[in-house]
Amino acid sequence: VLYVPAEPGELYALNAATGARLWQARVPGYAVSSPAVAGGRVYLGTDHADGGDLVAFSAVTGKRIWDVHDSNGAVDAAPAVANGVVYWAASGRVYATNAATATSVWSVTLSPMQMQSNPAVADGVVYVGAGNGNLYALDAADGSKLGVFSTGGAIESSPAVADGRVYIGSDDHNEYAFALPRR
């Protein structure tokens, strides 16, 4: 199944082999992030006049299960899901939300600038870049900062973790590799 957000405010589930529409769902405002799929659910970030939402849909039926609102800005970054928690970023904050209940696990303010970097989760650490040029490493359990790595420009790309390093691109036209923080 291919999940495709579209304007104005629609999410489609398509048969990947035939392109046939399986279902269509309405989202609050505009669908602005790439979807994440885990545990039978599709998670999507939105933007609208009074902020943004992280919305969870049934991957099978398209029924909206829950949404969490951020009144400060759009949820531009695609969420990441690990161990029953959805990690997402909006308006300078990173959130951890229980995937089943939509209750907050934690949230932390990192930057006065919009977060457009998709979070990545590896080995109990959440990595996310910010418009202030910093890459943050956060403890996935409680959101505490494990490390802050500086680049020469805003970060809008997604971090990648491999071979004991975290990799990120920056608007200064450079790629960076940082050693993983010690836990």
Short mmCIF file of all heavy atoms in Angstrom, two decimals, residues 142-176:
data_model
loop_
_atom_site.label_atom_id
_atom_site.label_comp_id
_atom_site.label_asym_id
_atom_site.label_seq_id
_atom_site.Cartn_x
_atom_site.Cartn_y
_atom_site.Cartn_z
N ASP A 142 13.05 10.06 28.00
CA ASP A 142 12.63 11.23 28.77
C ASP A 142 12.91 12.58 28.09
O ASP A 142 12.60 13.63 28.63
CB ASP A 142 13.26 11.22 30.16
CG ASP A 142 14.78 11.31 30.14
OD1 ASP A 142 15.38 11.63 29.09
OD2 ASP A 142 15.38 11.04 31.21
N GLY A 143 13.51 12.58 26.92
CA GLY A 143 13.77 13.81 26.19
C GLY A 143 14.98 14.60 26.64
O GLY A 143 15.25 15.68 26.12
N SER A 144 15.73 14.09 27.60
CA SER A 144 16.91 14.82 28.07
C SER A 144 17.96 14.88 26.96
O SER A 144 18.10 13.95 26.17
CB SER A 144 17.48 14.20 29.33
OG SER A 144 17.88 12.86 29.09
N LYS A 145 18.70 16.00 26.92
CA LYS A 145 19.72 16.18 25.89
C LYS A 145 20.94 15.32 26.21
O LYS A 145 21.51 15.40 27.29
CB LYS A 145 20.15 17.64 25.80
CG LYS A 145 19.11 18.54 25.20
CD LYS A 145 19.63 19.97 25.10
CE LYS A 145 18.52 20.91 24.72
NZ LYS A 145 18.93 22.31 24.80
N LEU A 146 21.33 14.53 25.22
CA LEU A 146 22.54 13.73 25.33
C LEU A 146 23.69 14.37 24.58
O LEU A 146 24.85 14.04 24.82
CB LEU A 146 22.28 12.32 24.77
CG LEU A 146 21.18 11.53 25.46
CD1 LEU A 146 20.93 10.22 24.71
CD2 LEU A 146 21.53 11.28 26.91
N GLY A 147 23.37 15.25 23.65
CA GLY A 147 24.41 15.94 22.89
C GLY A 147 23.81 16.96 21.95
O GLY A 147 22.66 16.86 21.55
N VAL A 148 24.59 17.98 21.63
CA VAL A 148 24.22 19.00 20.66
C VAL A 148 25.42 19.16 19.74
O VAL A 148 26.53 19.39 20.19
CB VAL A 148 23.88 20.35 21.33
CG1 VAL A 148 23.54 21.39 20.28
CG2 VAL A 148 22.75 20.19 22.34
N PHE A 149 25.19 19.02 18.43
CA PHE A 149 26.24 19.12 17.43
C PHE A 149 25.92 20.29 16.51
O PHE A 149 24.82 20.40 16.01
CB PHE A 149 26.31 17.82 16.63
CG PHE A 149 26.37 16.58 17.49
CD1 PHE A 149 25.22 15.84 17.74
CD2 PHE A 149 27.56 16.17 18.05
CE1 PHE A 149 25.27 14.71 18.53
CE2 PHE A 149 27.61 15.04 18.85
CZ PHE A 149 26.46 14.30 19.09
N SER A 150 26.89 21.16 16.29
CA SER A 150 26.66 22.36 15.48
C SER A 150 27.15 22.17 14.05
O SER A 150 28.21 21.60 13.81
CB SER A 150 27.40 23.55 16.11
OG SER A 150 26.82 23.86 17.35
N THR A 151 26.34 22.70 13.12
CA THR A 151 26.72 22.74 11.71
C THR A 151 26.80 24.21 11.31
O THR A 151 26.55 25.09 12.11
CB THR A 151 25.69 22.00 10.83
OG1 THR A 151 24.48 22.75 10.79
CG2 THR A 151 25.42 20.60 11.35
N GLY A 152 27.09 24.46 10.05
CA GLY A 152 27.24 25.84 9.60
C GLY A 152 25.99 26.46 9.03
O GLY A 152 26.03 27.57 8.52
N GLY A 153 24.85 25.76 9.09
CA GLY A 153 23.62 26.31 8.52
C GLY A 153 22.40 25.57 9.03
O GLY A 153 22.51 24.59 9.77
N ALA A 154 21.24 26.03 8.64
CA ALA A 154 19.98 25.40 9.06
C ALA A 154 19.95 23.95 8.61
O ALA A 154 20.51 23.59 7.57
CB ALA A 154 18.80 26.16 8.47
N ILE A 155 19.27 23.12 9.40
CA ILE A 155 19.15 21.70 9.08
C ILE A 155 17.69 21.41 8.74
O ILE A 155 16.80 21.62 9.56
CB ILE A 155 19.61 20.81 10.25
CG1 ILE A 155 21.09 21.06 10.54
CG2 ILE A 155 19.35 19.34 9.92
CD1 ILE A 155 21.59 20.34 11.78
N GLU A 156 17.47 20.94 7.52
CA GLU A 156 16.14 20.54 7.09
C GLU A 156 16.11 19.08 6.66
O GLU A 156 15.04 18.54 6.40
CB GLU A 156 15.66 21.44 5.96
CG GLU A 156 15.51 22.89 6.38
CD GLU A 156 15.12 23.80 5.24
OE1 GLU A 156 14.98 23.33 4.09
OE2 GLU A 156 14.97 25.00 5.49
N SER A 157 17.27 18.46 6.58
CA SER A 157 17.35 17.06 6.15
C SER A 157 17.17 16.13 7.34
O SER A 157 17.20 16.55 8.49
CB SER A 157 18.69 16.80 5.47
OG SER A 157 19.75 16.97 6.39
N SER A 158 17.00 14.87 7.03
CA SER A 158 16.82 13.86 8.07
C SER A 158 18.16 13.28 8.48
O SER A 158 19.00 12.98 7.63
CB SER A 158 15.96 12.71 7.54
OG SER A 158 14.73 13.20 7.10
N PRO A 159 18.38 13.09 9.78
CA PRO A 159 19.61 12.43 10.21
C PRO A 159 19.57 10.95 9.86
O PRO A 159 18.50 10.35 9.77
CB PRO A 159 19.61 12.63 11.73
CG PRO A 159 18.28 13.16 12.10
CD PRO A 159 17.54 13.51 10.88
N ALA A 160 20.73 10.39 9.65
CA ALA A 160 20.88 8.95 9.41
C ALA A 160 21.94 8.43 10.37
O ALA A 160 22.95 9.11 10.60
CB ALA A 160 21.29 8.68 7.97
N VAL A 161 21.71 7.25 10.92
CA VAL A 161 22.64 6.65 11.86
C VAL A 161 23.17 5.35 11.27
O VAL A 161 22.39 4.48 10.86
CB VAL A 161 21.95 6.37 13.22
CG1 VAL A 161 22.91 5.72 14.19
CG2 VAL A 161 21.37 7.65 13.81
N ALA A 162 24.50 5.24 11.22
CA ALA A 162 25.15 4.03 10.71
C ALA A 162 26.59 3.98 11.18
O ALA A 162 27.25 5.02 11.31
CB ALA A 162 25.12 4.01 9.18
N ASP A 163 27.07 2.79 11.47
CA ASP A 163 28.48 2.56 11.80
C ASP A 163 29.00 3.45 12.92
O ASP A 163 30.10 3.99 12.84
CB ASP A 163 29.36 2.74 10.55
CG ASP A 163 28.99 1.76 9.45
OD1 ASP A 163 28.63 0.61 9.78
OD2 ASP A 163 29.06 2.14 8.28
N GLY A 164 28.19 3.66 13.96
CA GLY A 164 28.64 4.42 15.12
C GLY A 164 28.69 5.92 14.91
O GLY A 164 29.30 6.64 15.70
N ARG A 165 28.02 6.41 13.86
CA ARG A 165 28.00 7.85 13.59
C ARG A 165 26.58 8.28 13.21
O ARG A 165 25.79 7.48 12.74
CB ARG A 165 28.94 8.20 12.44
CG ARG A 165 30.40 7.92 12.75
CD ARG A 165 31.28 8.64 11.75
NE ARG A 165 32.68 8.34 11.95
CZ ARG A 165 33.44 8.87 12.89
NH1 ARG A 165 32.95 9.71 13.74
NH2 ARG A 165 34.71 8.55 12.99
N VAL A 166 26.33 9.58 13.40
CA VAL A 166 25.09 10.17 12.92
C VAL A 166 25.49 11.15 11.82
O VAL A 166 26.43 11.93 11.97
CB VAL A 166 24.28 10.84 14.05
CG1 VAL A 166 25.05 11.92 14.75
CG2 VAL A 166 22.96 11.38 13.52
N TYR A 167 24.78 11.07 10.69
CA TYR A 167 25.09 11.88 9.51
C TYR A 167 23.94 12.86 9.27
O TYR A 167 22.77 12.50 9.41
CB TYR A 167 25.26 10.99 8.28
CG TYR A 167 26.38 10.00 8.43
CD1 TYR A 167 26.16 8.73 8.98
CD2 TYR A 167 27.67 10.31 8.02
CE1 TYR A 167 27.20 7.82 9.12
CE2 TYR A 167 28.71 9.41 8.15
CZ TYR A 167 28.47 8.16 8.70
OH TYR A 167 29.49 7.26 8.84
N ILE A 168 24.31 14.09 8.87
CA ILE A 168 23.29 15.11 8.61
C ILE A 168 23.81 16.09 7.55
O ILE A 168 25.01 16.36 7.48
CB ILE A 168 22.90 15.86 9.91
CG1 ILE A 168 21.63 16.68 9.73
CG2 ILE A 168 24.02 16.72 10.41
CD1 ILE A 168 20.37 15.87 9.74
N GLY A 169 22.91 16.60 6.73
CA GLY A 169 23.25 17.64 5.78
C GLY A 169 22.81 18.99 6.32
O GLY A 169 21.88 19.08 7.12
N SER A 170 23.47 20.04 5.90
CA SER A 170 23.18 21.38 6.38
C SER A 170 23.02 22.33 5.20
O SER A 170 23.54 22.07 4.11
CB SER A 170 24.33 21.84 7.29
OG SER A 170 24.18 23.17 7.67
N ASP A 171 22.32 23.44 5.44
CA ASP A 171 22.14 24.44 4.39
C ASP A 171 23.43 25.16 4.02
O ASP A 171 23.45 25.97 3.11
CB ASP A 171 21.09 25.48 4.81
CG ASP A 171 19.67 24.98 4.61
OD1 ASP A 171 19.49 23.89 4.04
OD2 ASP A 171 18.74 25.70 5.00
N ASP A 172 24.53 24.87 4.72
CA ASP A 172 25.82 25.44 4.34
C ASP A 172 26.49 24.60 3.24
O ASP A 172 27.64 24.79 2.93
CB ASP A 172 26.73 25.60 5.55
CG ASP A 172 27.18 24.28 6.15
OD1 ASP A 172 26.70 23.20 5.72
OD2 ASP A 172 28.02 24.31 7.07
N HIS A 173 25.74 23.64 2.68
CA HIS A 173 26.18 22.78 1.57
C HIS A 173 27.24 21.77 1.99
O HIS A 173 28.06 21.34 1.18
CB HIS A 173 26.68 23.61 0.38
CG HIS A 173 25.68 24.61 -0.08
ND1 HIS A 173 24.53 24.27 -0.76
CD2 HIS A 173 25.63 25.95 0.07
CE1 HIS A 173 23.83 25.35 -1.02
NE2 HIS A 173 24.46 26.40 -0.52
N ASN A 174 27.22 21.39 3.26
CA ASN A 174 28.14 20.38 3.77
C ASN A 174 27.37 19.23 4.38
O ASN A 174 26.25 19.39 4.85
CB ASN A 174 29.07 20.97 4.83
CG ASN A 174 30.09 21.91 4.24
OD1 ASN A 174 30.84 21.54 3.35
ND2 ASN A 174 30.10 23.14 4.72
N GLU A 175 28.00 18.07 4.37
CA GLU A 175 27.50 16.89 5.08
C GLU A 175 28.37 16.72 6.31
O GLU A 175 29.59 16.92 6.26
CB GLU A 175 27.60 15.64 4.21
CG GLU A 175 26.75 15.68 2.96
CD GLU A 175 25.27 15.62 3.26
OE1 GLU A 175 24.88 14.93 4.22
OE2 GLU A 175 24.50 16.27 2.53
N TYR A 176 27.77 16.36 7.42
CA TYR A 176 28.48 16.21 8.68
C TYR A 176 28.33 14.79 9.22
O TYR A 176 27.27 14.16 9.03
CB TYR A 176 27.94 17.19 9.73
CG TYR A 176 28.23 18.63 9.40
CD1 TYR A 176 27.39 19.36 8.57
CD2 TYR A 176 29.35 19.28 9.93
CE1 TYR A 176 27.66 20.68 8.26
CE2 TYR A 176 29.62 20.59 9.63
CZ TYR A 176 28.77 21.29 8.78
OH TYR A 176 29.03 22.60 8.50
#
